[in-house]
Amino acid sequence: MTEVRVRFAPSPTGFFHIGSARTALFNWLYAKHTGGKFVLRIEDTDKERNTEEALQVLLEGMRWLGLDWDEGPEVGGKFGPYFQSERQAIYDAYLKILKDKDRVYEKDGALWFRLEGERYTEYDEFHKAEIEKVKNTPVVIEDAIRGRVERTEERDFVIVRSNGEPVFHFVNVVDDIAMGITHVIRGEDHLSNTSKHVELFKAFDAKVPVFAHIPLILKQSGPGKMSKRDKGALIEEYEQRSFMADAVRNYICLLGWNPKDDQEKMPIEMIIERFDFPGVNKGNARFDETKLSALNAEYIRDLTSEDFANYASPILASNGVDLASIDSSYLDKVFGLCQAKIKSLETLYEYVFYFFQDTYEFDAKGMQRIQKGVDPKLLLREVMPIFEHTEEYSKEELETEMQAVAEANERKIFAYFPVIRMATSGLTGGPDLLPMLSIMGRERVLPRLQSFFEKL
Ligand code: GLU
């Protein structure tokens, strides 16, 4: 059996759209699944838009998702160059092949590809029936995902523009032939081009690759496919928002593919093993940020504490937390508390900043609410002795003592929580209060309670 060779053939635009990432990912998965090769080919024929910067956005996004390529930019390979802008000599040679077969003619300065059947002139009565038959024979595409698709390509089409630039259909097919591509896995928006491509493959007497057109990704709500303006559309955005790359990749796998048992969180090795065309849906996929976030949270939860610290530390540092000055066991405890609770590393800093600083603003709405209820000074006066007399703030000890005070004053223990939380963090919500106080310890909690009492 011939080795599977697939390619991802992006035109760099300056963005790495989730739809492109999904196409790259499905190609990569298929190559890994079959033990084949994954080629990255840059379709950079549009000179205006193809900047070095645009290329880097793409390569960086692929690297972030862990999609390594066997051949292409930076790694090379024997079918190079891998930039269409550097392949003109190859296009010239292939153009000559078509010319020699009398499949090219000039009209209005452009070069046109002559469909089969067109070689006979319309008024050739003798061949009329034959012409009609050839012209009306549809191109049959046995799409590995969509099944049998038939299309009739009715008109000749331009392959080289009057300014000498070869057209997408031509270079795309030439490269697929020259690079020995066996499977073309791409977005469904290209399905309409496929009959042109098949006509070209045939004109070159080349083996037509297997086509697999993957469904569109629709935006979160409403009709229409996800555009680059929609939130969550760009891979670079996830990186900036500190999403876990493994989680994003896992989620993108599920956009249009699912294993028979509906399992969602899967290690990539398992996805590679299970991924194949029959599992790819024909219907469109819908982007769902809630599902992505839930998966991201699961990935965070499942990290080892060491890995979590490796992700979390730079995020805190970039927000100005001086990690070197913090006791490592304290840091471990804070990390342990938030790993179990946070949904995204994006909000890590706002979730934990008060563990590392003694001054902060007090949430205004929360303050209003506190002042409307039972006098916060009274509440603090009732519990303060506990915090003064206890040395080790264990969760159990704090709970027993506060429970006793609450009963003595005919209250629920929870009556004290909002004011204590506000005093020690400036917030109305966060991790469970008693474990939080226990981690912060007397040295942080007591002075904060005292100064808050003064403030009131
Ligand atoms: N450059 C084309 C694109 O970005 C490639 C299409 C294909 O995969 O054949 O959509």
Side-chain angles (χ1 to χ4, degrees):
M1 235 185 81
T2 49
E3 181 185 59
V4 166
R5 288 178 58 82
V6 292
R7 86 303 193 270
F8 172 48
S11 311
T13 54
F15 307 98
F16 193 29
H17 189 271
I18 191 166
S20 302
R22 201 256 323 245
T23 300
L25 178 58
F26 281 18
N27 275 282
W28 181 87
L29 285 171
Y30 195 66
K32 297 275 180 212
H33 177 76
T34 55
K37 292 279 185 288
F38 175 50
V39 178
L40 174 58
R41 177 173 81 222
I42 307 299
E43 302 212 325
D44 58 347
T45 46
D46 181 344
K47 292 183 189 70
E48 318 277 88
R49 293 207 297 179
N50 292 298
T51 60
E52 176 62 25
E53 217 175 288
L55 175 67
Q56 286 310 324
V57 170
L58 192 95
L59 300 188
E60 169 58 22
M62 301 235 338
R63 278 191 282 261
W64 187 71
L65 287 172
L67 305 181
D68 51 325
W69 49 100
D70 299 300
E71 295 170 28
E74 295 177 356
V75 301
K78 61 179 179 187
F79 296 89
Y82 292 91
F83 291 87
Q84 287 190 330
S85 58
E86 296 168 15
R87 295 174 63 81
Q88 191 56 48
I90 296 166
Y91 304 138
D92 290 342
Y94 273 79
L95 184 63
K96 184 165 183 308
I97 296 175
L98 288 188
K99 280 181 175 165
D100 290 348
K101 293 186 178 204
D102 191 28
R103 299 296 295 271
V104 182
Y105 61 92
E106 202 203 303
K107 193 172 86 186
D108 305 328
L111 296 182
W112 293 67
F113 173 67
R114 193 200 312 276
L115 288 172
E116 209 160 5
E118 294 288 317
R119 76 184 79 229
Y120 308 101
T121 50
E122 289 294 339
Y123 44 82
D124 184 342
E125 284 301 322
F126 182 68
H127 285 113
K128 196 162 184 179
E130 200 174 329
I131 295 165
E132 285 309 310
K133 184 165 167 283
V134 176
K135 281 177 80 174
N136 294 323
T137 306
V139 171
V140 177
I141 303 146
E142 293 291 350
D143 193 279
I145 293 165
R146 312 210 56 84
R148 190 185 170 93
V149 181
E150 286 188 12
R151 274 184 74 93
T152 308
E153 200 56 45
E154 281 167 353
R155 279 178 223 285
D156 295 353
F157 52 91
V158 173
I159 51 175
V160 180
R161 290 193 194 88
S162 50
N163 64 5
E165 274 177 20
V167 166
F168 160 70
H169 304 298
F170 179 70
V171 292
N172 184 264
V173 169
V174 166
D175 284 347
D176 283 343
I177 296 170
M179 294 181 175
I181 299 304
T182 59
H183 295 70
V184 171
I185 306 169
R186 61 184 175 189
E188 199 183 283
D189 46 332
H190 282 291
L191 188 60
S192 57
N193 295 324
T194 306
S195 45
K196 286 192 179 64
H197 296 184
V198 170
E199 295 283 7
L200 282 166
F201 278 106
K202 286 186 179 157
F204 283 114
D205 287 316
K207 189 167 188 301
V208 180
V210 174
F211 286 97
H213 286 93
I214 50 187
L216 301 177
I217 302 177
L218 303 178
K219 57 176 84 188
Q220 179 109 24
S221 56
K225 68 174 191 170
M226 195 132 168
S227 88
K228 68 169 191 272
R229 286 170 301 277
D230 291 314
K231 183 160 180 274
L234 306 180
I235 299 303
E236 48 271 34
E237 185 185 316
Y238 293 109
E239 190 177 355
Q240 282 152 16
R241 291 171 62 195
S242 306
F243 269 74
M244 305 261 316
D246 287 356
V248 175
R249 181 175 61 189
N250 189 155
Y251 176 70
I252 297 175
C253 289
L254 302 173
L255 280 173
W257 172 79
N258 70 291
K260 305 254 146 26
D261 59 3
D262 285 331
Q263 200 177 334
E264 297 199 323
K265 182 170 185 284
M266 282 171 281
I268 195 67
E269 296 75 20
M270 186 191 278
I271 297 179
I272 288 170
E273 198 188 305
R274 304 175 83 175
F275 183 85
D276 208 346
F277 298 135
V280 179
N281 307 327
K282 283 197 190 70
N284 292 331
R286 191 177 285 285
F287 177 73
D288 180 353
E289 166 125 23
T290 315
K291 189 164 155 182
L292 167 58
S293 297
L295 207 51
N296 188 55
E298 266 190 77
Y299 269 84
I300 292 175
R301 214 79 67 237
D302 290 350
L303 288 172
T304 62
S305 47
E306 202 184 333
D307 284 341
F308 182 81
N310 288 336
Y311 279 105
S313 301
I315 295 174
L316 295 186
S318 70
N319 278 285
V321 178
D322 178 15
L323 295 169
S325 71
I326 296 164
D327 181 56
S328 72
S329 77
Y330 178 64
L331 201 56
D332 286 349
K333 283 185 219 151
V334 175
F335 282 164
L337 187 68
C338 53
Q339 184 179 359
K341 292 279 176 179
I342 56 165
K343 295 205 163 54
S344 160
L345 291 166
E346 185 182 13
T347 50
L348 175 72
Y349 178 71
E350 34 189 289
Y351 196 74
V352 296
F353 66 90
Y354 54 85
F355 281 93
F356 310 110
Q357 65 196 54
D358 289 318
T359 50
Y360 33 80
E361 281 182 24
F362 295 94
D363 180 85
K365 279 216 184 85
M367 285 299 283
Q368 272 176 15
R369 218 175 307 141
I370 283 172
Q371 267 144 348
K372 266 195 217 138
V374 181
D375 178 12
K377 281 190 104 160
L378 174 66
L379 292 172
L380 278 182
R381 212 176 279 128
E382 288 172 14
V383 287
M384 205 71 124
I386 301 171
F387 293 93
E388 279 158 1
H389 300 135
T390 311
E391 282 304 318
E392 281 292 322
Y393 285 11
S394 82
K395 174 182 169 295
E396 293 72 23
E397 169 118 33
L398 290 180
E399 190 164 3
T400 317
E401 301 238 6
M402 283 175 73
Q403 192 64 52
V405 168
E407 272 165 33
N409 292 288
E410 295 182 344
R411 303 185 202 288
K412 294 244 156 42
I413 186 173
F414 302 114
Y416 300 105
F417 283 18
V419 62
I420 297 176
R421 188 186 288 283
M422 181 59 71
T424 53
S425 70
L427 301 177
T428 54
D432 290 343
L433 184 70
L434 298 178
M436 165 183 145
L437 297 176
S438 151
I439 291 171
M440 289 167 105
R442 182 186 165 98
E443 58 185 293
R444 293 181 186 79
V445 174
L446 187 56
R448 292 184 193 189
L449 289 176
Q450 284 163 340
S451 81
F452 190 69
F453 186 81
E454 296 306 318
K455 177 183 152 70
L456 280 172

